[in-house]
Amino acid sequence: MRRVRAEILNARKIGAYHSLTLVAPEVAERARPGQFVSVAMPEDRTFLLRRHFSIHQASRRGGWAGTLEFVFDPQGVGTTWLSEAKAHQFLDVIGPLGRPYAYPRKLTNCLLIAEGRGAAPIYFLAQELRARGKRVDMLIGAEDQEHVFRAIDGKRLSQTIGIVTADGSMGERGSIVDLLEEMAVGSGAQVVYAAGRRGTLRAVADFCAERQIPSQVAVEEQMACGMGMCFTCTVPVIRKDGSGYDNLRACTDGPVFNPARILWDRWMGDEPRLLPTPPEGFPVVRTWPG
Amino acid sequence: MKQSLAVDLNGVAFPLPVLAASGCLGTGRDTPALVDLHRLGGVVTRSLTLAPSKGTPTPRMAETPSGLLTSVGVQNPGVEEFVAEDLPRLAKAGVPVVASVAGRSLEEYLRVTSHLQARAGVVALELYLGTDDQERGHGDPFYQRLDRIVEIVGSVSRMSRLPVFVKLPALLPDLVETAGSCVRAGAHGLTLIDAVPGLAVDPVRLKPKLATAVGGLSGPAIKPIALAAIFRVAQAMPDVPIMGVGGVTTGSDAVEFLLAGAWAVQVGTAMLVNPSAPVEIAQGLLRYLKDKGIASPADLRGRLRVQRAPQASEGAP
């Protein structure tokens, strides 16, 4: 974790999203897929908290060495302010934060699932997996064409790609869940990675649990500090031995978790309640394939 | 003139008057690398309960104008694990530790207190009274009933060999009276103020933004409320040490708190945004002392120049 004053090298619009490329060699050097950065807001504003963004690109070599890119959808006050940021402006950035995706050692066929801006970390992951000689297939979902992030990059990075939009403006009409089985079978998926909304992640988790496919998902939860201090971004996660669960912080214990160990009902039910551990304990979930 | 930032709260010494507030620096395990423990006046831990506590469901936070609304519950590893795992790390860093004590019954407060006696590094206790009283309060927080406050503060203070600070919310029916009762019951000092109850609403989903509906508001939004509380209590009891907390973000804020009557300040929300905030606040305070030629933070305390309060008859039409 480093805190830097990073210069904006490039600010541009990509479909519905905004992308900022920063000069931040200290952060870029250490960044791995699934990790995020936090960006401070201007001190004179009434919104105080840092904003957190998945790292989309961290270049260590070549013409873009030492740069770092993140992507966002300007929805709230903070992201709207950031969308107006110009090149050569400086941002207060902390990163890389969080636990990254783990790479499989032996298994080779990886299915990467991304919903909306979840594609940003997933493309970064695809690059790293390919550099390790893995087969990458992708399933990209979004509301509409505008929200399909860089479809061309997705195609370039994957063996096969499935694109699905809610309104059918690009690829097939429907949701990720509709195409999940077809893509998993077609690509011979041995490992599944996902980033997106909770409902989708849960569907992916259920699918993988049923078929015993090891998987990792990057979750999103309301986060104040991003550094493990405030304990607001917790996710109920079953312990390794199944003896109970703990409210783990998405910022430091995640954001990448084994979805088979997340207590989805307790985390995202209509009435999330922290019930006691059942007397028989929780099922023991096998660990990530070494 | 040589300035020193060291303060002495009637026997509780801190190398500088800027501490990390409870709930903002965990309990001592995995302190972020960006927080320099050596440059803090002290650390107030997350509130400790007897058994490990999982806290409340999420969402636990919402951003509000100039503020942060949170409801975490008292998620903590439990006092025994804190003493075994976390405290040695804080003690090794040499930072004075104020252990925040919470409970759901008088017995729990006392048992947590007993675990914290004679532990290297712990210089004081801070009583958190915002947990639900499951003994007699029908699930309301302890601070809602003066008799329960006095009972807890009195029992803990009599038993503890460590000085006890009581953290009080600003919105009590009679804050000054309650503060006085705490001191008479044996409290060494006070921490003012606890987070202010707040509600954030999501108009699209017709739901509160926090899982628990009402949460605690912190940050610059509550600074004037904190200053007023400190000012009123300090006017009534100038010899009782007060740790001021509530929206302290800059060196100037710290100066304001000291002028209003605080003996030291705690930094919470500002640290979540800027992990080196306490260091910058201490530097700002030192600059102010140098500029004004004041030797120590204690010399600033309560120096607010106030006019005599106008009589009700004066100025009335």
Side-chain angles (χ1 to χ4, degrees):
Chain A
M1 181 192 318
R2 290 283 191 285
R3 185 174 181 195
V4 294
R5 225 176 133 251
E7 186 178 353
I8 300 175
L9 194 62
N10 192 356
R12 65 198 152 139
K13 209 163 179 291
I14 305 171
Y17 304 103
H18 280 260
S19 143
L20 288 178
T21 305
L22 309 176
V23 183
E26 305 93 326
V27 183
E29 250 166 48
R30 293 171 179 81
R32 288 174 59 193
Q35 291 186 302
F36 60 96
V37 290
S38 82
V39 179
M41 294 291 108
E43 281 174 19
D44 58 340
R45 303 291 173 116
T46 59
F47 38 100
L48 313 166
L49 300 175
R50 307 179 79 88
R51 266 47 177 180
H52 311 282
F53 304 100
S54 292
I55 296 169
H56 169 50
Q57 208 49 272
S59 306
R60 298 179 192 90
R61 289 177 240 36
W64 293 87
T67 65
L68 173 86
E69 184 180 359
F70 65 87
V71 175
F72 56 95
D73 193 359
Q75 298 267 336
V77 282
T79 42
T80 302
W81 174 78
L82 262 185
S83 71
E84 289 152 10
K86 299 274 184 299
H88 307 303
Q89 196 176 321
F90 283 83
L91 295 176
D92 169 356
V93 175
I94 295 179
L97 296 163
R99 196 175 281 202
Y101 287 109
Y103 311 122
R105 237 178 258 162
K106 295 200 191 97
L107 304 176
T108 54
N109 295 2
C110 305
L111 176 62
L112 276 54
I113 300 168
E115 184 180 38
R117 65 191 153 90
I122 286 292
Y123 290 179
F124 185 16
L125 174 64
Q127 284 180 357
E128 296 292 314
L129 287 170
R130 280 173 57 113
R132 284 164 180 75
K134 309 292 179 191
R135 173 187 160 133
V136 169
D137 296 87
M138 272 196 222
L139 173 52
I140 309 291
E143 299 148 45
D144 51 33
Q145 184 176 5
E146 283 278 281
H147 286 85
V148 176
F149 179 70
R150 282 184 177 160
I152 293 175
D153 282 14
K155 284 179 186 152
R156 181 175 58 80
L157 287 164
S158 54
Q159 205 91 15
T160 64
I161 184 166
I163 296 178
V164 56
T165 49
D167 65 353
S169 55
M170 190 182 215
E172 298 196 25
R173 180 193 296 267
S175 72
I176 282 176
V177 183
D178 303 331
L179 236 66
L180 186 53
E181 176 150 17
E182 189 190 323
M183 280 298 298
V185 173
S187 66
Q190 296 168 311
V191 179
V192 170
Y193 295 95
R197 289 194 211 118
R198 275 187 211 180
T200 307
L201 295 184
R202 182 179 195 169
V204 170
D206 290 346
F207 177 84
C208 293
E210 203 178 293
R211 278 146 210 265
Q212 304 223 318
I213 303 173
S215 56
Q216 292 201 327
V217 300
V219 303
E220 286 184 7
E221 178 55 87
Q222 295 285 336
M223 198 179 271
C225 73
M227 289 172 272
M229 304 196 280
C230 71
F231 283 75
T232 57
C233 60
T234 57
V235 180
V237 176
I238 299 173
R239 289 183 196 141
K240 278 201 175 107
D241 61 3
S243 67
Y245 73 97
D246 294 300
N247 275 334
L248 300 184
R249 292 160 293 180
C251 63
T252 45
D253 303 306
V256 174
F257 288 110
N258 181 343
R261 285 176 52 197
I262 295 176
L263 288 169
W264 295 92
D265 277 331
R266 293 173 194 222
W267 187 36
M268 56 177 281
D270 278 342
E271 294 290 329
R273 279 183 306 141
L274 301 177
L275 303 167
T277 302
E280 71 279 11
F282 294 104
V284 176
V285 176
R286 71 181 170 138
T287 47
W288 183 247
Chain B
M1 188 188 298
K2 180 93 181 111
Q3 271 81 18
S4 159
L5 282 179
V7 286
D8 180 351
L9 279 63
N10 285 354
V12 182
F14 296 115
L16 40 129
V18 186
L19 291 81
S22 179
C24 291
L25 199 55
T27 47
R29 66 187 65 187
D30 48 51
T31 305
L34 296 175
V35 175
D36 194 349
L37 287 174
H38 301 278
R39 297 171 78 182
L40 291 177
V43 169
V44 189
T45 68
R46 291 193 69 78
S47 294
L48 300 161
T49 49
L50 193 56
S53 175
K54 291 196 196 316
T56 58
T58 54
R60 289 177 167 186
M61 63 142 285
E63 194 183 37
T64 59
S66 301
L68 168 65
L69 192 67
T70 54
S71 169
V72 172
V74 281
Q75 180 166 354
N76 79 95
V79 68
E80 284 180 60
E81 203 180 316
F82 165 77
V83 168
E85 298 289 325
D86 301 49
L87 184 56
R89 294 177 211 201
L90 292 173
K92 199 176 161 202
V95 63
V97 176
V98 177
S100 174
V101 176
R104 291 193 170 78
S105 63
L106 174 61
E107 184 190 345
E108 188 173 1
Y109 275 99
L110 291 176
R111 289 178 64 184
V112 173
T113 301
S114 78
H115 278 288
L116 293 164
Q117 299 301 309
R119 303 287 181 188
V122 182
V123 298
L125 303 182
E126 184 178 281
L127 280 185
Y128 174 65
L129 299 168
T131 37
D132 299 339
D133 181 356
Q134 291 177 352
E135 233 170 8
R136 300 217 204 113
H138 312 291
D140 283 338
F142 284 96
Y143 63 66
Q144 297 228 327
R145 281 176 53 181
L146 183 60
D147 60 328
R148 287 300 269 168
I149 298 178
V150 171
E151 201 171 13
I152 307 267
V153 173
S155 306
V156 170
S157 304
R158 270 194 297 281
M159 176 189 151
S160 176
R161 275 166 284 167
L162 292 163
V164 174
F165 286 79
V166 183
K167 189 169 189 176
L168 290 176
L171 307 179
L172 290 173
D174 194 337
L175 175 66
V176 176
E177 181 52 40
T178 307
S181 302
C182 289
V183 172
R184 284 191 295 278
H188 178 88
L190 301 160
T191 300
L192 297 171
I193 58 172
D194 193 6
V196 177
L199 173 71
V201 173
D202 179 344
V204 179
R205 291 164 59 242
L206 283 76
K207 280 178 134 183
K209 286 190 180 170
L210 302 190
T212 54
V214 174
L217 183 62
S218 63
I222 68 165
K223 188 181 117 183
I225 303 175
L227 282 171
I230 292 161
F231 175 67
R232 287 172 55 214
V233 173
Q235 292 282 305
M237 297 180 289
D239 299 326
V240 175
I242 296 173
M243 290 199 267
V245 55
V248 180
T249 310
T250 63
S252 165
D253 290 337
V255 170
E256 292 170 35
F257 273 65
L258 296 176
L259 287 172
W263 297 44
V265 297
Q266 299 179 0
V267 183
T269 307
M271 235 177 123
L272 303 180
V273 178
N274 172 9
S276 51
V279 177
E280 291 166 20
I281 290 167
Q283 285 167 346
L285 176 59
L286 188 61
R287 261 199 312 276
Y288 179 90
L289 295 179
K290 278 191 175 147
D291 289 350
K292 295 272 177 189
I294 298 168
S296 124
D299 298 331
L300 266 184
R301 188 171 68 236
R303 288 259 304 262
L304 199 59
R305 293 182 199 144
V306 242
Q307 289 181 317
R308 186 176 58 88
Q311 299 297 312
S313 59
E314 285 176 30

